[in-house]
Amino acid sequence: MLETKDILETINMIDNENLDVRTITMGISLLDCINEDIDKACIKVYDKICRSAKDLVKTGEDIQKEYGIPIINKRISVTPIAMIAAPCQSKKIAKFAYTLDRAAKELGVNFIGGYSALVQKGFASGDYALIESIPEALSETEFVCSSVNIGSTKAGLNMDAVKMMGKIVKQTAEITADRNCIGAAKLVVFCNAPEDNPFMAGAFHGVGEADTVINVGVSGPGVVRAALAKGGTGKNITEIADMVKKTAFKITRMGQLVAQEASQRLCVPFGIVDLSLAPTPAVGDSVAHILEEMGLEVCGCHGTTAALALLNDAVKKGGVMASSHVGGLSGAFIPVTEDAGMISAAENGYLDITKLESMTAVCSVGLDMIVVPGDITPEVISAIIADEAAIGMVNTKTTAVRLIPAIGKKAGDELNFGGLLGRGPVMPVRKGSPEVFINRGGRIPAPLQALKN
Amino acid sequence: MKAIITVIGKDTVGILAKVSDACSKADVNIVEVTQSVLQDMFAMVMLVEISKSNIGFEQLRENLNQVGDATGTKIHIMHEDIFNSMHKI
């Protein structure tokens, strides 16, 4: 029989340390829904999503009840819509967003991702129209999430797309200004976007994927922090890394179990487990607090990047043996507004955008959920995207930018979304104009790291 | 299918009897029990067979919760696989 202490440990993790499966995301290919007539294509898209995912929410709830593990979100990711829209003559590409939104509502999922375009090397048919429609799509829908991949290590950075995305992010915030600029919180700009990521807002179903697939994202920053707290301050850094690995292993095993079970019940192949520490604004569910538990007075002080590098690496090492297939983003997330520790560090001036940028070089995502002043220019947004994408391109890793220009607010004010998206102070950006650089357009050539053949 | 019931709380008379009673009414067979009392804190772990249960898993959990409320203890029931996957390689 199992040991009592192990059983009690698991129960304590769930009851007191916010252990959960963050999301079961079903990836659905829409390649067989392509049609020149946008209305016919939308009907096919709606039918396919509703058919494929009809039991997704119920299955998630059943597993949660039977196994006693909280499964927070059930979501859907689809083939980047720019590809589906490519042959459509219609200019009203946003019809696809309305269709996705209706399907999400019908199925009861809380987000649907894939209103996306992959333009790392250039724009193909459908890409321009889709990107231009993003502000409308995110303003008029509730559940749709959008992402644009503007660069990769293999292709370099598409600076025309970078320029365009600065405008789109700003417009999306402006058009949803009456709702706390929520549109921008559903829009991610990627470099090296993963094609099997189950986490929103950046999830989409890559073209190399199977027709349908189940990807699971685990979480548990609270569990890792509690494990370190039990160790006290007497442990050295090697021991800290070991503790994180052991904890990540246990968390991931639970995710693997849920993924296999969901895949079996839905008769959909199991894709990957994403080993991520995804914080929520809830107390005790913060990545910043893990770093502080390691011995930093506050997240953002010198030493934060090193601590985060250790954490990110140990999570992967612990998790990778626990799952048969690992993918997605897999690492520690640092979304500022969604992490109680980061919110407080930012409010008290310990954490700024430049420190966050350096942190993104060693963790799994990027400048995530950062509220910037409403008067920020599109060129500055583009330049922030370019900086972040350059880090991803050179280091052969995923980086993303999800900035929320708080329209009508200035540095020091607060933007409050409520719920999982949390709240955060408006952070100042650096002075000086990158306008000429951004307006040049063109492409940053792929770095030498791309030439591996 | 096997599940694990854990009961944690202040030790009082009859906790084991009340939990066993809830199981027996539901045709849930108790396979193994371990319990420990540390000072006056009581921790009991039961491995139970629920395949032949005459009520659903949700109802069983609800019944056990009522026992927990009545005895001032916290009672969980979870699928055995969770613990196996997390603690055994």
Side-chain angles (χ1 to χ4, degrees), chain A residues 329-350:
Chain A
L329 296 160
S330 286
F333 291 176
I334 50 168
V336 177
T337 68
E338 298 176 1
D339 185 308
M342 302 252 173
I343 295 170
S344 120
E347 277 172 346
N348 294 312
Y350 292 102

Side-chain angles (χ1 to χ4, degrees), chain A residues 23-79:
Chain A
T23 178
I24 298 182
T25 304
M26 181 185 271
I28 303 172
S29 168
L30 299 180
L31 290 173
D32 51 356
C33 302
I34 292 179
N35 197 297
E36 282 182 9
D37 181 336
I38 191 167
D39 294 317
K40 283 186 187 156
C42 284
I43 292 170
K44 282 182 162 185
V45 165
Y46 182 82
D47 288 349
K48 174 143 191 199
I49 294 172
C50 290
R51 191 171 64 242
S52 307
K54 68 177 191 306
D55 297 325
L56 176 65
V57 171
K58 185 177 180 304
T59 304
E61 285 168 355
D62 286 350
I63 295 174
Q64 168 165 339
K65 281 179 199 154
E66 281 172 39
Y67 285 81
I69 306 169
I71 299 172
I72 309 300
N73 300 308
K74 294 90 186 170
R75 295 169 169 173
I76 293 170
S77 63
V78 297
T79 311

Side-chain angles (χ1 to χ4, degrees), chain A residues 280-315:
Chain A
T280 67
V283 173
D285 210 14
S286 155
V287 169
H289 288 157
I290 301 177
L291 305 178
E292 290 168 8
E293 198 64 55
M294 284 186 197
L296 301 174
E297 185 190 353
V298 61
C299 176
C301 71
H302 291 294
T304 302
T305 311
L308 183 60
L310 177 160
L311 174 67
N312 199 52
D313 181 66
V315 165

Side-chain angles (χ1 to χ4, degrees), chain B residues 21-33:
Chain B
D21 186 46
C23 291
S24 117
K25 279 183 184 148
D27 274 341
V28 166
N29 186 34
I30 298 171
V31 181
E32 207 176 325
V33 183

Side-chain angles (χ1 to χ4, degrees), chain B residues 18-50:
Chain B
K18 282 169 190 154
V19 176
S20 309
D21 186 46
C23 291
S24 117
K25 279 183 184 148
D27 274 341
V28 166
N29 186 34
I30 298 171
V31 181
E32 207 176 325
V33 183
T34 59
Q35 71 167 64
S36 58
V37 181
L38 195 66
Q39 290 175 340
D40 59 349
M41 284 305 282
F42 175 85
M44 178 171 75
V45 176
M46 276 180 166
L47 180 67
V48 295
E49 173 61 65
I50 56 170

Side-chain angles (χ1 to χ4, degrees), chain A residues 199-332:
Chain A
F199 286 102
M200 295 296 171
F204 64 88
H205 185 72
V207 282
E209 298 280 320
D211 192 53
T212 50
V213 72
I214 286 290
N215 298 323
V216 165
V218 298
S219 187
V223 182
V224 175
R225 193 203 62 78
L228 299 187
K230 276 173 216 149
T233 50
K235 305 281 184 200
N236 70 27
I237 295 292
T238 310
E239 290 168 312
I240 293 282
D242 272 345
M243 283 195 275
V244 175
K245 277 199 292 193
K246 283 179 190 158
T247 313
F249 177 83
K250 289 177 188 168
I251 297 172
T252 311
R253 289 281 279 196
M254 195 186 74
Q256 169 82 9
L257 177 72
V258 168
Q260 278 173 331
E261 193 63 29
S263 143
Q264 205 176 2
R265 291 185 189 199
L266 290 162
C267 298
V268 168
F270 158 59
I272 55 101
V273 173
D274 187 321
L275 323 168
S276 284
L277 292 180
T280 67
V283 173
D285 210 14
S286 155
V287 169
H289 288 157
I290 301 177
L291 305 178
E292 290 168 8
E293 198 64 55
M294 284 186 197
L296 301 174
E297 185 190 353
V298 61
C299 176
C301 71
H302 291 294
T304 302
T305 311
L308 183 60
L310 177 160
L311 174 67
N312 199 52
D313 181 66
V315 165
K316 285 183 212 172
K317 285 176 178 161
V320 80
M321 188 181 149
S323 171
S324 45
H325 297 285
V326 170
L329 296 160
S330 286

